Amino acid sequence: MLLKRSSVKHSSEVLKNLNKFYKRKEIQRLGAENGLDARLFHQAFISFRKYIMESSSVSADLHIILNDICCGAGHVDDLFPFFLRHAKQIFPMLDCMDDLRKISDLRLPPNWYPDARAIQRKIIFHAGPTNSGKTYHAIQRFLSAKSGIYCGPLKLLAHEIFQKSNDANVPCDLVTGEERVFANEDSRQAPHVACTIEMCSTNTPYEVAVIDEIQMIRDPARGWAWTRALLGLCAEEIHVCGEPAAIDLVTELMYTTGEEVEVRNYERLTPLTVLDYALESLDNLRPGDCIVCFSKNDIYSISRQIEARGLECAVIYGSLPPGTKLEQAKKFNDPDDPCKILVATDAIGMGLNLCIRRIIFNSIVKPTVNEKGEKEIDSITTSQALQIAGRAGRFGSSFKQGEVTAMHRDDLARLKEILSEPVPPVQAAGLHPTPEQIEMFAYHLPDATLSNLIDIFVSLSQVDGMYFVCNIDDFKFLADMIQHIPLNLRSRYVFCTAPLNRKEPFVCTTLLKFARQFSRNEPLTFDWLCRHTKWPLAAPKNIKELVHLEAVHDVFDLYLWLSYRFMDMFPDAVLVRDIQKKLDDIIQIGVCNITKLIRASQSAAAPGTAEVVSEDFPLSRTQRDARVVSDRHGGTEALSIAVEAAGLRRAKNLRSPRLGGRQEDMKSYGRGSLANRLLREGLLTQEMLRQLESEWQDQHRNGRYGFGSKRDDQHSSKATGKKRK
């Protein structure tokens, strides 16, 4: 029987009692006991309150309870059974909470690998800085073993060990997410394998396993792969290589498996000196120098300025194909090649053997993306700085000693501090839900989307202090993107674990098309892929075209990755690999002519944004000013103050005798230099710049906050006064 809500005398009294119910600690405790954490409890209450206050009718038993409470004959706690019933309707997992908690219990990861627990493994930790020979000694043991597996963080590293092993007459296969190469012509599995760490087998027995860069076990996105390898590899000897900061955590993890850790410490093989002077000008470059930038746009700017001085430079950054990186490294290392300068991102931190005399940090701040997806700029960590600086003076190269400095004098002192600070110990190891765990969740929650299943899993998961659940934002992004496409859960899970950069729209769109074609059970043929990517492609004429070619290369990688998981649906891996090699050659041509592409791009850009940034204007200081200003001011005013600060600093550097003519100078400088930097750093778009300029002009006409305004003159007077002091 249903009764109209209008029979409840006083809706305000009902609302008052509902809020009283919500605030009671006893009710919150009962909710927690029934699976409602603080977030779920709040969401359930909002829905319950809305149901009572806004629905056309409530059930008779709830109607009676509400009347009793309003009349003082009942207690608000009597609402709990009705609240819980409502909560279970909107959160179905509450009915099977015990089962879900058992499935998502991540407190004993060692138990997930019974084959590894069945043998007594010997763990050897090779600890030391970059260029200390730690990995070399582990690889020597790998080569001398009857069977072995090498697990590295990069395709380049796996390929290097694969090459080195076969050159030493030790048959070794190569396994990466996109590629399988057999040492034996008949495709028999070799006793040795070099692989990217995500691809290692935890079922195959080996005599020796090598896990490289173990400190990446703390990586927010990929740490789970190192945890899985460390706990799960079935090898008599596990050789772990990495920073000393990971020793304590590895020792603790192995204590839980009953295995002891032998630590072998290594010292750097060649001296590394932090110079007492900054480079300050690109005119001071010497052969063997490497300028490290933290954005592709800075690489474009620096490389053009270098070649404007009649010098050749090689260029390496993360989104380049591995083949192009190797070719650029080969060009830089070749003593007979006129290219003696390298401009690179932190991609050189691992995976490439480079003959570098001196590392020059163009900046000590690095753009990052926080948990909310917002772009932030923070100082590089000690671990990052040491990894990059350590590339100078590699043992066995023509440079017997490495040097490190900064581009700008102001950054050098801070760089010295960063390099001298101890690396914080690695605190926890990453974990990730397995397909089997998600399938069991789906069995209990058949109507939940994959993204919701992941959210529920993470919210219910229990980990002890030595572990953390890895960031799953990329997984959820892909899950939401393909949610409308009809796929079975296992296939959907595989698509969501595809390695792609979600900032690349072309690659994301392609994955969507792959999934849609796959769901129709239509094979993705070579011809289909060529039509979609408009293959064959010409050499790039500008930077935009080069970036697109890099995205197409990633699409080919994506196809190959999927072809090893769905061979029938992605049948033309051999043909795709052939055109990918051709595309690599085309990209190499573009990178070799990168300064021409930059000039072509800038000539087509909007007036005022094409100017190359002056080298005497430190990037790090510009970014710091813009960041501080944006925290204190809004919109146009923030930009104007940041530009003014830049102009005043430049005027000071030039020792201008007066500031009277600064207005026009700062306007043009701001448009050309600071605005250009903000554009190139992604902190400002062309559309935003046009809008800001329009607002700026309007405000200037109205006498508010423009450069000619009273407020601005006051700000300038204060700045000048401080300068005099």
Side-chain angles (χ1 to χ4, degrees):
M1 177 182 176
L2 296 176
L3 298 176
K4 294 291 181 185
R5 183 173 58 86
S6 57
S7 62
V8 180
K9 292 181 180 179
H10 304 291
S11 60
S12 60
E13 190 68 23
V14 172
L15 183 59
K16 179 180 175 182
N17 282 295
L18 284 173
N19 289 334
K20 183 179 178 182
F21 167 83
Y22 172 73
K23 293 175 182 177
R24 280 182 58 75
K25 297 294 183 185
E26 293 83 352
I27 297 300
Q28 294 173 9
R29 179 179 55 77
L30 282 171
E33 289 175 2
N34 284 273
L36 290 167
D37 60 20
R39 181 176 61 88
L40 293 179
F41 180 84
H42 177 72
Q43 292 176 356
F45 173 75
I46 296 297
S47 178
F48 182 59
R49 185 178 63 188
K50 184 176 181 180
Y51 161 67
I52 291 175
M53 302 302 297
E54 297 182 12
S55 64
S56 59
S57 57
V58 295
S59 59
D61 47 357
L62 178 54
H63 168 83
I64 293 168
I65 292 294
L66 285 169
N67 270 323
D68 286 348
I69 294 171
C70 289
C71 295
H75 194 278
V76 290
D77 289 0
D78 298 337
L79 289 171
F80 185 77
F82 302 95
F83 168 73
L84 185 60
R85 185 172 66 190
H86 182 85
K88 288 182 177 180
Q89 290 174 351
I90 59 173
F91 298 122
M93 73 275 196
L94 296 176
D95 275 329
C96 50
M97 192 60 73
D98 289 342
D99 290 334
L100 296 180
R101 280 208 176 98
K102 288 176 185 176
I103 297 167
S104 58
D105 190 339
L106 306 179
R107 287 176 293 185
L108 294 171
N111 294 350
W112 303 349
Y113 308 102
D115 292 344
R117 300 293 76 77
I119 61 175
Q120 188 64 30
R121 307 180 307 170
K122 182 180 180 182
I123 314 296
I124 299 106
F125 195 125
H126 301 264
T130 305
N131 198 18
S132 62
K134 58 186 183 298
T135 307
Y136 169 82
H137 286 90
I139 294 301
Q140 292 305 111
R141 180 67 188 97
F142 166 82
L143 294 173
S144 66
K146 295 176 183 176
S147 63
I149 181 171
Y150 167 84
C151 307
L154 300 172
K155 285 184 280 187
L156 282 172
L157 285 170
H159 196 277
E160 181 186 340
I161 302 303
F162 161 76
Q163 201 74 46
K164 190 175 290 186
S165 297
N166 287 296
D167 289 347
N169 295 317
V170 178
C172 179
D173 295 340
L174 174 67
V175 178
T176 70
E178 301 80 19
E179 190 175 16
R180 308 285 191 282
V181 181
F182 294 99
N184 299 314
E185 292 182 0
D186 58 0
S187 297
R188 283 184 298 107
Q189 189 172 324
H192 288 70
V193 61
C195 65
T196 45
I197 194 157
E198 286 87 352
M199 301 305 297
C200 71
S201 168
T202 57
N203 301 318
T204 309
Y206 299 101
E207 182 183 347
V208 168
V210 176
I211 304 174
D212 207 357
E213 305 293 352
I214 187 62
Q215 70 276 1
M216 289 189 71
I217 201 168
R218 68 183 165 204
D219 188 85
R222 297 178 66 201
W224 62 269
W226 276 263
T227 305
R228 175 176 170 270
L230 182 62
L231 297 178
L233 283 172
C234 294
E236 297 168 28
E237 292 179 23
I238 307 282
H239 290 258
V240 177
C241 308
E243 295 177 0
I247 292 174
D248 289 347
L249 178 64
V250 170
T251 303
E252 286 183 49
L253 293 175
M254 294 301 94
Y255 178 79
T256 65
T257 65
E259 295 161 329
E260 294 184 0
V261 178
E262 175 190 337
V263 179
R264 299 178 186 174
N265 289 297
Y266 299 82
E267 298 296 327
R268 185 178 164 87
L269 296 172
T270 56
L272 181 67
T273 305
V274 183
L275 301 177
D276 291 327
Y277 54 89
L279 187 73
E280 297 197 88
S281 171
L282 296 178
D283 294 328
N284 298 325
L285 285 172
R286 304 198 305 260
D289 278 351
C290 171
I291 301 177
V292 177
C293 309
F294 293 109
S295 79
K296 279 200 293 186
N297 294 304
D298 279 349
I299 282 184
Y300 299 152
S301 174
I302 294 290
S303 59
R304 182 174 176 185
Q305 292 178 63
I306 289 172
E307 296 209 4
R309 287 164 167 76
L311 302 172
E312 280 194 40
C313 66
V315 172
I316 295 174
Y317 50 85
S319 60
L320 283 178
T324 304
K325 290 177 185 172
L326 289 171
E327 281 301 313
Q328 289 291 299
K330 182 180 176 182
K331 179 182 178 182
F332 173 70
N333 290 338
D334 186 354
D336 299 324
D337 196 292
C339 171
K340 301 300 180 187
I341 308 295
L342 176 63
V343 184
T345 64
D346 51 348
I348 64 161
M350 59 178 74
L352 291 167
N353 291 320
L354 297 161
C355 296
I356 298 171
R357 178 205 302 269
R358 179 171 60 173
I359 289 284
I360 302 155
F361 285 86
N362 185 56
S363 169
I364 56 170
V365 293
K366 181 178 180 180
T368 57
V369 178
N370 64 19
E371 295 175 355
K372 298 178 181 178
E374 299 165 341
K375 196 165 186 178
E376 292 184 337
I377 298 172
D378 294 310
S379 295
I380 56 175
T381 65
T382 299
S383 178
Q384 290 168 336
L386 290 171
Q387 186 83 22
I388 296 165
R391 308 306 287 178
R394 185 173 66 88
F395 181 75
S397 74
S398 55
F399 303 117
K400 306 301 180 187
Q401 176 175 322
E403 297 176 341
V404 185
T405 189
M407 176 69 76
H408 309 293
R409 194 183 310 168
D410 289 356
D411 288 337
L412 185 57
R414 178 61 186 136
L415 176 62
K416 287 183 176 182
E417 287 177 16
I418 292 171
L419 289 170
S420 64
E421 290 169 359
V423 178
V426 179
Q427 300 286 353
L431 297 173
H432 193 281
T434 65
E436 293 76 20
Q437 288 169 324
I438 298 304
E439 280 183 340
M440 286 189 282
F441 256 54
Y443 172 79
H444 289 287
L445 303 169
D447 297 326
T449 66
L450 180 55
S451 182
N452 287 341
L453 288 174
I454 289 288
D455 275 338
I456 296 168
F457 185 96
V458 172
S459 68
L460 294 179
S461 61
Q462 302 173 73
V463 295
D464 70 19
M466 288 188 290
Y467 299 97
F468 68 94
V469 179
C470 283
N471 187 313
I472 51 169
D473 287 348
D474 288 346
F475 185 99
K476 285 179 58 184
F477 171 81
L478 296 180
D480 289 333
M481 188 175 74
I482 65 172
Q483 180 54 43
H484 64 287
I485 298 174
L487 296 167
N488 65 56
L489 184 67
R490 180 63 70 128
S491 298
R492 190 180 298 279
Y493 184 95
V494 171
F495 270 92
C496 293
T497 55
L500 58 78
N501 183 353
R502 61 176 174 170
K503 295 178 185 176
E504 295 180 351
F506 182 71
V507 183
C508 292
T509 303
T510 304
L511 179 71
L512 195 60
K513 292 182 178 180
F514 282 174
R516 192 174 291 121
Q517 187 95 339
F518 182 94
S519 71
R520 294 195 291 258
N521 205 30
E522 297 175 6
L524 290 107
T525 63
F526 176 73
D527 290 339
W528 184 96
L529 186 64
C530 288
R531 284 196 306 274
H532 173 69
T533 57
K534 295 180 172 58
W535 180 265
L537 295 163
K541 299 182 184 66
N542 52 49
I543 290 295
K544 184 178 179 181
E545 290 184 8
L546 177 61
V547 170
H548 178 68
L549 291 181
E550 292 167 8
V552 174
H553 193 280
D554 288 346
V555 165
F556 291 164
D557 260 348
L558 180 61
Y559 184 98
L560 294 170
W561 189 88
L562 289 165
S563 74
Y564 286 108
R565 287 144 184 88
F566 306 110
M567 293 184 183
D568 294 340
M569 298 300 292
F570 295 84
D572 295 329
V574 175
L575 294 173
V576 173
R577 193 170 301 286
D578 286 342
I579 62 171
Q580 189 182 44
K581 289 176 182 175
K582 293 176 183 176
L583 178 58
D584 205 332
D585 293 338
I586 295 170
I587 293 173
Q588 286 177 35
I589 293 170
V591 173
C592 288
N593 297 311
I594 196 162
T595 53
K596 293 179 183 176
L597 304 188
I598 296 166
R599 282 196 294 272
S601 299
Q602 291 185 332
S603 64
T609 61
E611 181 183 338
V612 176
V613 181
S614 174
E615 67 185 3
D616 64 350
F617 193 61
L619 171 64
S620 55
R621 289 203 287 182
T622 308
Q623 290 175 321
R624 278 189 229 122
D625 286 348
R627 189 177 180 189
V628 170
V629 168
S630 66
D631 288 341
R632 297 177 183 173
H633 304 275
T636 309
E637 183 183 2
L639 182 62
S640 67
I641 295 172
V643 173
E644 180 176 5
L648 286 172
R649 183 166 59 249
R650 180 165 171 79
K652 182 178 178 181
N653 290 342
L654 295 174
R655 291 182 172 83
S656 175
R658 57 190 178 87
L659 295 175
R662 85 187 194 291
Q663 183 172 321
E664 292 304 316
D665 289 341
M666 282 192 292
K667 279 188 179 181
S668 61
Y669 191 82
R671 296 291 193 279
S673 184
L674 179 59
N676 194 23
R677 281 200 180 278
L678 292 173
L679 283 165
R680 292 188 296 102
E681 287 301 313
L683 300 173
L684 193 65
T685 66
Q686 290 281 1
E687 182 60 34
M688 290 166 64
L689 184 60
R690 283 193 290 271
Q691 186 178 344
L692 284 169
E693 287 176 336
S694 175
E695 291 178 7
W696 204 346
Q697 290 166 1
D698 290 343
Q699 290 177 349
H700 179 62
R701 283 193 295 270
N702 295 332
R704 295 185 297 115
Y705 308 127
F707 268 118
S709 71
K710 183 177 179 181
R711 179 186 176 101
D712 188 69
D713 289 340
Q714 289 172 348
H715 178 78
S716 173
S717 300
K718 288 178 183 177
T720 309
K722 287 178 183 176
K723 183 178 175 182
R724 286 170 183 157
K725 288 177 185 178

